[in-house]
Amino acid sequence: MAASNHFIPRTEALRICADAGVWDLLVIGGGATGLGVALHAAAQGCRVLLLEACDYAAGTSSHSTKLLHGGVRYLAQGHWGLVRDALRERQTVLTNASAVARSLEFLVPAYSGGQALKYLAGLGLYQFLAGARSLGATRWLSVQAHPALSLLQPRGLRGAIRYVDGQFDDAALALALRSAIEQNGGLTLNHAPVIDVQSITGGGFEVRWRNALTGTEHMTRAACVVDATGGWLGPWRSDAGAEPAIELSRGSHLVVDASFWPHDQGLLIPETRDGRVLFVLPWHGHTLIGTTDVPVQSLRQGQRPTDADIDFILTEVSRYLRRSPKRSDITSVWAGVRTIVKPKSSQALNTSEMGREHAIWTSSSGVVCVAGGKWTTYRLMAEQVVAHCRRSALLRTGDAGRGTQHLALISGKAFAPDSPSRCPPQGEALSRWVVEQVRDNQACTVEDVLARRSRLLLLDARQAGRLAPAVDAAMRSVGVANPGLEEFQALVNQHLPQDQLLS
């Protein structure tokens, strides 16, 4: 694939959609899975349309822990196949998307000889499963061997195990996938929620969707429909014999100043009170700490960290860091809702004990549904979904042998923390940059710009709130009628602890 970006303006995309006739594949959902499915099919020569209700990666896919990894803790749970697949896919993303992904060294502190042996054995197995795709040797470090260890609580500290995994920018990868879809002849539309899907006598589907910016409704026909919305799966998902049990889990994160972990290595806290691991990560000039794994009953419950989530993270990290952050140090808090496919044997398990496998099934209406999984394995999931569509004779066009590379190489400075896509430029350059995001990158609201075209909302919510009026003005200058400034200012408060809300 070509390395340069390729963009279709939203107005042009709407025109193409109106004149396109019947699509080979219509994908509902512009998160990791939906984007992957659309790209894989487009790379095989299928005519593909992707419709996203809000913005690309606006849900869980932009609220991850920003790691490309096999999942160290899944080894202890026996999910070896998942870990092996994820380690293979980790390398694929690192190879093809070096501008938004990189390898990252991690330190795992040990406070007893028993811990040291256990962690060395587990991480040694982790490296073994990676095989030729290993990113670096796993080894023991004494307390004096690494300057970052001086930041840890010293009492009983024996040393740390060093291993290597991957880190990425989830929203940036999502936007790169969207660009690659269009390079391969597909079409994507954000702010286009699907209202209804109806099968047509003789084959195919009619999909009714709305342009959320104008309120107008449209009808589009497709031979095959894939619902990749995860926890937002539509009413057409149901099939008593095939639909898996699905659990929802809230993963909360908080961001503080880089001074709390001023090193370019990640810290894995191996044992929290709920039996999970916790990460302390360098991320775009800040320190990212997370994540929780709290079962929730609804999507609304899962989209905002609770005080208990924040207190849990702060308490757990204070057990390991000499200088630990307080609530007043938090610059942003946020959460994502994981969709977890519940294994048949897991009735007694909570969500933190389940793996991140995925499920693919065809509903009674003929819509192909996919749920579960994780960012690291998005390409593998996409490959399997497209193969399922072909086996079911729902997708008959294109060349099934094409598309193995899957992702265009993303041009630009590799994982640059000072890139405008991470933190917007200041002064006059801000307006020019915002206009570019509207024109070339389908940014339709202030949130689109400051949460995903830039990551500022997730890094420093107060600063994002201060920049929002200037972003709103720049968007209006190029014809965006309602960039949603008031809604964004309310969203800023959702990214702050309850005791720090802005008036």
Side-chain angles (χ1 to χ4, degrees):
M1 297 180 188
S4 59
N5 287 330
H6 176 84
F7 299 106
I8 297 176
R10 194 170 187 278
T11 52
E12 177 67 6
L14 287 165
R15 185 196 64 76
I16 295 171
C17 190
D19 299 336
V22 180
W23 297 88
D24 297 329
L25 173 64
L26 188 148
V27 178
I28 306 171
T33 307
L35 289 163
V37 169
L39 175 53
H40 200 71
Q44 293 182 352
C46 299
R47 297 181 67 250
V48 178
L49 171 65
L50 180 146
L51 298 176
E52 160 57 38
C54 184
D55 186 29
Y56 308 109
T60 307
S61 293
S62 64
H63 293 84
S64 74
T65 312
K66 324 303 178 192
L67 294 178
L68 294 165
H69 63 148
V72 173
R73 70 187 179 94
Y74 303 145
L75 287 177
Q77 299 166 359
H79 301 284
W80 288 31
L82 171 64
V83 174
R84 186 173 55 250
D85 288 344
L87 289 171
R88 182 182 64 244
E89 295 302 316
R90 176 188 69 180
Q91 185 60 58
T92 300
V93 180
L94 289 171
T95 299
N96 292 328
S98 61
V100 297
R102 63 168 181 168
S103 60
L104 181 67
E105 181 179 285
F106 283 82
L107 304 174
V108 185
Y111 283 85
S112 70
Q115 283 187 343
L117 290 173
K118 180 172 72 171
Y119 302 156
L120 270 172
L123 291 166
L125 175 60
Y126 189 67
Q127 182 186 345
F128 173 78
L129 289 174
R133 298 177 180 85
S134 171
L135 301 177
T138 297
R139 65 175 186 266
W140 173 256
L141 300 175
S142 67
V143 174
Q144 296 78 27
H146 200 293
L149 298 183
S150 66
L151 300 180
L152 299 178
Q153 295 284 1
R155 186 174 181 180
L157 182 63
R158 299 293 186 89
I161 295 89
R162 176 260 194 196
Y163 77 101
V164 187
D165 234 326
Q167 185 183 41
F168 77 126
D169 187 312
D170 45 19
L173 179 54
L175 293 169
L177 291 171
R178 179 233 153 189
S179 174
I181 291 166
E182 295 187 345
Q183 288 182 45
N184 282 275
L187 188 69
T188 67
L189 267 174
N190 60 354
H191 298 280
V194 170
I195 302 168
D196 191 29
V197 179
Q198 293 290 334
S199 58
I200 303 172
T201 302
F205 298 87
E206 286 187 341
V207 179
R208 187 158 56 94
W209 56 278
R210 183 175 69 254
N211 182 342
L213 304 183
T214 63
T216 56
E217 292 191 4
H218 304 265
M219 187 71 76
T220 298
R221 297 185 69 176
C224 178
V225 174
V226 169
D227 188 330
T229 57
W232 288 264
L233 282 166
W236 42 82
R237 66 188 266 187
S238 181
D239 187 335
E243 183 184 0
I246 292 174
E247 301 280 347
L248 301 178
S249 169
R250 180 176 61 243
S252 297
H253 307 76
L254 59 85
V255 176
V256 296
D257 186 79
S259 63
F260 289 96
W261 186 252
H263 293 279
D264 197 31
Q265 293 83 29
L267 174 68
L268 187 155
I269 293 174
E271 296 182 11
T272 61
R273 285 176 297 163
D274 65 352
R276 301 189 72 254
V277 300
L278 198 68
F279 292 98
V280 180
L281 305 168
W283 193 57
H284 298 323
H286 293 71
T287 297
L288 168 63
I289 309 174
T291 175
T292 62
D293 199 330
V294 179
V296 293
Q297 300 303 312
S298 68
L299 293 167
R300 182 178 296 275
Q301 269 188 322
Q303 293 177 1
R304 180 171 183 167
T306 65
D307 284 337
D309 292 336
I310 296 170
D311 290 341
F312 172 83
I313 294 174
L314 292 174
T315 299
E316 292 300 317
V317 81
S318 70
R319 296 171 51 210
Y320 287 84
L321 294 184
R322 282 193 181 190
R323 176 178 173 249
S324 57
K326 301 177 177 57
R327 292 176 72 90
S328 58
D329 297 310
I330 295 172
T331 57
S332 186
V333 297
W334 36 273
V337 184
R338 306 180 188 93
T339 304
I340 302 173
V341 175
K342 188 174 181 180
K344 293 181 180 178
S345 60
S346 67
Q347 278 73 16
L349 299 182
N350 59 45
T351 55
S352 67
E353 296 172 304
M354 297 179 195
R356 295 296 180 263
E357 286 87 355
H358 59 277
I360 303 166
W361 70 98
T362 302
S363 72
S364 55
S365 65
V367 174
V368 174
C369 301
V370 54
K374 50 190 284 187
W375 249 118
T376 309
T377 56
Y378 88 90
R379 190 211 62 84
L380 177 63
M381 294 168 62
E383 183 180 83
Q384 293 175 356
V385 169
V386 173
H388 177 95
C389 293
R390 291 194 181 281
R391 285 195 306 271
S392 304
L394 295 167
L395 190 60
R396 302 178 185 224
T397 58
D399 180 357
R402 292 173 55 192
T404 55
Q405 184 68 7
H406 202 260
L407 176 62
L409 297 176
I410 302 167
S411 61
K413 191 189 301 181
F415 210 84
D418 57 347
S419 166
S421 65
R422 280 50 160 186
C423 194
Q426 304 294 310
E428 294 181 2
L430 174 64
S431 293
R432 293 193 297 272
W433 179 78
V434 170
V435 169
E436 179 181 301
Q437 302 312 307
V438 173
R439 184 185 63 238
D440 294 338
N441 222 354
Q442 285 195 15
C444 300
T445 67
V446 175
E447 180 189 346
D448 293 353
V449 171
L450 291 176
R452 288 170 294 278
R453 307 310 182 279
S454 146
R455 309 317 309 275
L456 188 59
L457 180 64
L458 273 65
L459 294 168
D460 189 335
R462 297 177 188 84
Q463 177 63 8
R466 288 190 287 268
L467 275 185
V471 172
D472 175 83
M475 297 183 79
R476 290 180 182 277
S477 74
V478 289
V480 179
N482 180 20
L485 178 59
E486 290 184 6
E487 292 85 348
F488 182 78
Q489 296 292 16
L491 188 63
V492 167
N493 272 337
Q494 293 184 30
H495 286 72
L496 293 172
Q498 289 284 351
D499 55 353
Q500 298 178 36
L501 301 184
L502 304 177
S503 58

